[in-house]
Amino acid sequence: ATSTLEVVAGAPAAPTLLSPPDGASGVATVPTLTWTAAAAAASYFVEVDNNADFSSPEYSATVAGTTTIATGLSPDLTYSWRVRADNICDVATSTVFDFRTGPVSCNTPALVIPDGVPGGATDDMVLAIAGTLADLDVSIDVTHTWVGDTAFTLTHVDTGTSVIFYNRPGVPASTFGCSGDNIDVTANDEGPDGDIESQCADLPASSGDRVGGDPANTSLFAAFDGEDLAGTWRLNAADFATPDPGVLNEWCLLPTREGPGISLTK
């Protein structure tokens, strides 16, 4: 008989949580969680729960690195989170940090996207929620055949800042873009899953994908950082080719705010 002996340096050290910092407010509902590397750790087990005893985590994951993006969180709730360092000898758990998610604002316009009309159609969302933006994510839910025809632009009407965050996926690699159906994505500057516009084989695009047609240009929404969340936000939905129609079912703004007495992280 044979056996294998694995030798490690010893029990892992406890990680130190970094962001969101303890007591943070206005945090996005898809926050990026980060912590320090722990000596002798082989992996990390992350938990996020709106119960302080972690009896029913909304998000949990085992990861190799020191960051993850939590999903499944709700707006305007306080969450506790912790990270456990593991190896074959033992475990060591961090202290617990708390953060509160910010508001999420959604419109459900059932807006018909004019077929083959590059000017598209628009829907406005007027927010009375004040606060300086530290980060912004945008989700869209669209029923549309041949999504390579479509492009979506977000504009803060009060400031004039405008960003095309979804722009004919699959073009120019393919003249007509991705042939798949439907879009259901939360677009952000920090997503781990790769560029939205290169995922023709994985439609509808999954939550957490980065924005931008160029993987090197993944900070498009940073254009809104420092602006006031309050005001009129406009989403333009455009279709550049016939004969595939579509409907914008829902779109949401997921802001992370900063301001007096509020501690935030991107």
Side-chain angles (χ1 to χ4, degrees), residues 199-216:
Q199 296 202 26
C200 288
D202 184 24
L203 291 169
S206 58
S207 177
D209 292 337
R210 293 196 306 260
V211 300
D214 180 356

Side-chain angles (χ1 to χ4, degrees), residues 101-148:
T101 52
V104 172
S105 299
C106 297
N107 271 8
T108 53
L111 178 70
V112 174
I113 303 171
D115 191 25
V117 179
T122 61
D123 184 61
D124 286 357
M125 182 187 302
V126 180
L127 299 183
I129 307 167
T132 301
L133 280 167
D135 188 36
L136 183 65
D137 301 338
V138 179
S139 69
I140 52 174
D141 178 356
V142 180
T143 301
H144 196 293
T145 53
W146 206 292
V147 299

Side-chain angles (χ1 to χ4, degrees), residues 12-93:
T16 299
L17 305 185
L18 297 177
S19 64
D22 195 22
S25 302
V27 175
T29 55
V30 282
T32 299
L33 310 178
T34 61
W35 57 92
T36 61
S43 63
Y44 301 93
F45 180 65
V46 186
E47 293 178 292
V48 182
D49 198 341
N50 63 355
N51 297 310
D53 61 0
F54 294 93
S55 56
S56 56
E58 274 67 38
Y59 174 83
S60 62
T62 299
V63 299
T66 58
T67 186
T68 187
I69 292 181
T71 57
L73 307 189
S74 299
D76 206 25
L77 280 179
T78 296
Y79 287 93
S80 300
W81 70 290
R82 64 185 180 186
V83 177
R84 187 186 73 205
D86 296 348
N87 70 19
I88 60 172
C89 287
D90 209 341
V91 301
T93 304

